[in-house]
């Protein structure tokens, strides 16, 4: 097989004329990062709330949270994305649906992908938050209550600070996953990183260079995330706590 | 101070407490003992509502614990409790462990809470450990901190749930010393413990429980001198053998 390597392709002006092909990749990188970070914020907030609800002594609340988790983690991510993007606008009130469909397509794609990825990951975060809380000795909750804390205060001051520390390693995995999963947004047309790689192949016929470059970019993102999370882990480490030092 | 009237509790079909009745007067020290599984820990946790009970009534300084209208958090903030496994909050420093509830529950300001915390840390001989974390202290030290933490809330009475059972033998005395001192100062105390030496030294009354029943509720001298029930006699014979 003969293949003409041409790394110079990235500096050539792109087909759209106003950018280089490297510029295309950076546009993709920008969308991948903004999509993943905003989805992560949703995942953390919603996941924490649902995870806490799964552990509260109220059958209705914990039942609701269980249903939520099962719903979002048992439907394939791709199917969820199609539902958000293609089905949901049809279910909205007509005016709202039309307004949505007439908005900038890029924002439509971004908004749906963000919600989809955020809520999908929130179900996974919720499970980790729950397991973190349940891994704490039962006496901790009692000790908090015995001092006169209300149940929400016990969660806020006693349970959650330790639970988050304990689940830091699996949370890091989820954080990494969200960047990798963000590639599904390519299927509804969002010009994120893997989409741009495909475009590069289409326009330049240099698939190896394009995918090597994109691979390196994903790798760089995740190495950075791992590094930052490890720093955070060290920073919040509890002296003298088992597994702490 | 604490009135327990005909309290019964079930876990499903299994009855853990049967018609328990007793009282703890102000400044009285009552020791609750009995074999494991006899319901003594459950009973003491009913007093501050950590365990719900199905029938009977518990009244702590005029407030009914079982009443759904009772503000349990408020009641608990006046009732100190010390646990078998210390249950300090591992992510906070020792001094923060002592101040957090003062600030968040009683609404004291930072300085006031800190002063009070340091005062009680000093009393249990651990002032120097204030900036450390619980994991860096020995079990005995942690339990003394836990007692200081409860005292910071100016409790009207103290509940001890086997405070020395998780400790190495050499650390038991440092904790008991603190408790003896408290008793001598007139603190109202209800202690679940197997430390009969402590009971002899400071208890006013001893309650003996077995299978969820209060089998014996007697003054210290009666209990150790002439226990009425066979079960209490056997128990005493066993634990006082050595």
């Amino acid at each position: 097989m003969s293949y003409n390597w041409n790394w110079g392709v990235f500096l050539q002006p792109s087909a759209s004329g106003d950018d280089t092909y490297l510029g295309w990749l950076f546009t993709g990188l920008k969308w991948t990062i903004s999509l993943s970070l905003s989805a992560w914020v949703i995942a953390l907030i919603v996941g924490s709330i649902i995870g806490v609800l799964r552990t509260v002594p109220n059958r209705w609340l914990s039942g609701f949270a269980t249903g939520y988790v099962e719903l979002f983690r048992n439907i394939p991510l791709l199917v969820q994305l199609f539902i958000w993007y293609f089905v949901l606008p049809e279910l909205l009130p007509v005016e709202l649906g039309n307004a949505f469909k007439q908005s900038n397509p890029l924002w439509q794609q971004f908004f749906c992908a963000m919600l989809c990825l955020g809520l999908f990951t929130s179900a996974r975060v919720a499970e980790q938050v729950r397991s973190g809380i349940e891994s704490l000795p039962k006496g901790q909750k009692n000790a908090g209550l015995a001092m006169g804390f209300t149940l929400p205060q016990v969660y806020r001051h006693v349970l959650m600070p330790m639970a988050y520390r304990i689940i830091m390693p699996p949370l890091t995995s989820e954080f990494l996953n969200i960047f990798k999963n963000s590639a599904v947004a390519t299927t509804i047309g969002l010009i994120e990183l893997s989409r741009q790689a495909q475009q590069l192949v289409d326009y330049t016929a240099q698939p190896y260079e394009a995918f090597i470059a994109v691979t390196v970019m994903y790798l760089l993102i995740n190495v950075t995330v791992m590094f930052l999370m490890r720093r955070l882990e060290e920073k919040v480490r509890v002296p003298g706590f088992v597994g702490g030092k | 101070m604490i009135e327990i009237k005909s309290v019964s509790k079930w876990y499903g079909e299994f009855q853990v407490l049967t018609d328990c009745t007793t009282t703890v007067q102000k400044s009285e020290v009552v020791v609750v003992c009995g074999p494991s599984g006899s319901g003594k820990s459950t009973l003491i946790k009913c007093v501050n509502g950590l365990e719900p009970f199905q029938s009977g009534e518990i009244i702590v300084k005029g407030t009914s614990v079982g009443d759904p209208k009772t503000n349990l958090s408020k009641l608990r903030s006046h009732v100190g409790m010390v646990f078998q496994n210390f249950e300090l909050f591992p992510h906070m420093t020792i001094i923060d462990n002592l101040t957090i509830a003062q600030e968040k529950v009683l609404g004291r300001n930072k300085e006031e809470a800190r002063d009070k915390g340091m005062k009680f840390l000093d009393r249990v001989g651990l002032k120097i450990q204030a900036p450390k974390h619980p994991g860096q202290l020995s079990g005995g030290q942690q339990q003394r901190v836990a007692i200081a933490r409860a005292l910071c809330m100016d409790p009207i009475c103290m509940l001890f749930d086997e405070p020395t059972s998780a400790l190495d033998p050499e650390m038991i005395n440092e904790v008991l010393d603190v408790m003896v001192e408290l008793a001598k100062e007139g603190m109202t105390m209800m202690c679940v413990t197997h430390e009969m030496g402590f009971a002899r030294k400071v208890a006013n009354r001893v309650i003996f429980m077995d299978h969820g029943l209060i089998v014996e509720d007697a003054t210290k001298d009666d209990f150790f001198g002439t226990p009425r029930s066979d079960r209490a006699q056997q128990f005493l014979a066993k634990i006082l053998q050595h």
Side-chain angles (χ1 to χ4, degrees):
Chain A
M1 187 189 99
S2 68
Y3 181 81
N4 291 320
W5 288 94
N6 176 16
W7 289 102
V9 69
F10 293 116
L11 299 177
Q12 287 168 16
S14 67
S16 57
D18 53 0
D19 206 350
T20 60
Y21 285 113
L22 190 63
W24 276 18
L25 286 186
F26 277 120
T27 306
L29 185 67
K30 195 181 74 188
W31 282 102
T32 289
I33 290 177
S34 13
L35 171 63
S36 306
L37 286 184
S38 50
W40 182 240
V41 171
I42 294 176
L44 264 188
I45 295 173
V46 178
S48 298
I49 295 170
I50 296 291
V52 165
L53 287 186
R54 285 207 73 177
T55 66
V56 297
N58 177 312
R59 233 158 16 111
W60 297 105
L61 289 177
S62 65
F64 163 77
T66 306
Y68 177 95
V69 168
E70 296 309 338
L71 180 70
F72 280 97
R73 74 170 177 180
N74 287 324
I75 300 172
L77 179 57
L78 195 58
V79 175
Q80 291 191 29
L81 185 60
F82 288 169
I83 292 174
W84 282 110
Y85 189 64
F86 295 114
V87 181
L88 224 68
E90 305 302 329
L91 300 178
L92 290 173
V94 181
E95 282 172 33
L96 206 65
N98 283 340
F100 179 77
K101 283 181 252 178
Q102 279 157 13
S103 65
N104 182 345
L106 191 56
W107 286 110
Q108 287 178 36
Q109 294 154 358
F110 182 82
F111 184 74
C112 288
M114 175 185 79
L115 268 184
C116 169
L117 206 54
L119 296 185
F120 174 80
T121 311
S122 76
R124 305 173 56 94
V125 169
E127 278 304 272
Q128 286 162 5
V129 168
R130 177 182 68 90
S131 70
I133 294 171
E134 285 177 354
S135 75
L136 300 171
K138 195 170 173 271
Q140 286 280 298
K141 181 177 152 192
N142 275 346
L145 289 174
M147 296 178 72
F149 284 136
T150 60
L151 192 60
Q153 281 180 316
V154 169
Y155 274 93
R156 161 77 184 75
H157 298 295
V158 180
L159 302 179
M160 299 312 286
M162 278 316 286
Y164 278 125
R165 283 171 168 90
I166 288 167
I167 62 169
M168 200 77 98
L171 266 191
T172 305
S173 296
E174 279 321 315
F175 200 5
L176 298 176
N177 274 343
I178 214 166
F179 284 99
K180 291 180 278 183
N181 287 339
S182 71
V184 297
T186 196
T187 58
I188 57 169
L190 185 70
I191 48 165
E192 44 70 66
L193 199 46
S194 57
R195 177 75 169 193
Q196 296 296 68
Q198 289 162 11
Q199 297 234 47
L200 235 69
V201 176
D202 291 345
Y203 282 93
T204 66
Q206 297 287 351
Y208 288 114
E209 290 86 343
F211 277 101
I212 287 171
V214 163
T215 306
V216 169
M217 284 181 171
Y218 276 116
L219 212 65
L220 278 179
I221 295 176
N222 280 354
V223 167
T224 313
V225 168
M226 265 162 56
F227 174 76
L228 291 176
M229 288 299 280
R230 212 161 282 165
R231 285 286 299 275
L232 184 64
E233 245 178 272
E234 278 164 24
K235 207 170 162 237
V236 299
R237 188 167 283 176
V238 174
F241 184 70
V242 186
K245 195 181 130 189
Chain B
M1 181 69 79
I2 303 171
E3 287 175 76
I4 301 174
K5 296 179 194 163
S6 309
V7 168
S8 296
K9 176 180 170 68
W10 290 263
Y11 285 123
E13 293 285 290
F14 180 70
Q15 187 159 12
V16 272
L17 294 176
T18 308
D19 205 20
C20 294
T21 301
T22 190
T23 54
V24 181
Q25 306 294 336
K26 192 169 177 355
S27 296
E28 200 177 23
V29 177
V30 174
V31 163
V32 185
C33 62
S36 40
S38 60
K40 50 197 192 308
S41 280
T42 308
L43 181 66
I44 205 171
K45 284 190 184 126
C46 285
V47 172
N48 66 350
L50 285 181
E51 290 278 359
F53 47 91
Q54 284 84 6
S55 78
E57 199 177 23
I58 296 180
I59 294 173
V60 178
K61 210 181 179 188
T63 310
S64 169
V65 177
D67 188 343
K69 278 179 293 218
T70 296
N71 183 344
L72 269 183
S73 302
K74 189 157 184 236
L75 175 76
R76 286 171 182 146
S77 68
H78 302 305
V79 177
M81 186 157 196
V82 175
F83 297 84
Q84 183 174 358
N85 293 310
F86 331 133
E87 305 301 350
L88 297 177
F89 307 136
H91 58 289
M92 295 177 202
T93 60
I94 299 301
I95 185 67
D96 287 347
N97 263 280
L98 271 68
T99 55
I100 179 142
Q102 292 188 64
E103 289 173 27
K104 307 288 176 193
V105 177
L106 302 181
R108 290 182 183 151
N109 67 39
K110 257 199 162 72
E111 266 151 48
E112 195 184 352
R114 203 189 143 78
D115 288 348
K116 191 131 201 155
M118 288 311 267
K119 188 183 113 194
F120 281 110
L121 262 191
D122 195 24
R123 251 195 65 179
V124 299
L126 293 169
K127 201 172 179 181
I128 194 169
Q129 311 286 4
K132 288 197 184 162
H133 280 78
Q136 296 167 304
L137 268 56
S138 72
Q141 289 173 325
Q142 288 191 52
Q143 194 62 298
R144 278 146 67 198
V145 171
I147 295 173
R149 178 173 72 172
L151 293 175
C152 283
M153 305 295 283
D154 297 324
I156 52 172
C157 61
M158 290 278 287
L159 308 173
F160 292 84
D161 185 9
E162 303 205 30
T164 56
S165 298
L167 294 174
D168 288 340
E170 53 192 314
M171 293 173 183
I172 290 177
N173 279 334
E174 60 186 80
V175 172
L176 288 180
D177 287 346
V178 173
M179 290 169 63
V180 168
E181 217 175 287
L182 263 183
K184 285 184 176 156
E185 283 167 20
M187 175 62 79
T188 309
M189 293 163 68
M190 189 167 171
C191 312
V192 174
T193 182
H194 296 296
E195 297 295 331
M196 288 303 124
F198 171 78
R200 278 175 192 257
K201 205 183 272 180
V202 296
N204 299 103
R205 281 185 17 251
V206 180
I207 291 172
F208 177 77
M209 290 183 73
D210 194 23
H211 295 299
L213 282 158
I214 293 184
V215 179
E216 189 120 3
D217 183 347
T219 63
K220 172 177 62 179
D221 295 335
D222 283 351
F223 183 76
F224 288 111
T226 53
R228 276 166 295 176
S229 65
D230 293 346
R231 191 63 191 86
Q233 281 174 15
Q234 287 167 12
F235 179 78
L236 276 178
K238 266 183 205 147
I239 62 171
L240 295 179
Q241 215 163 33
H242 298 288

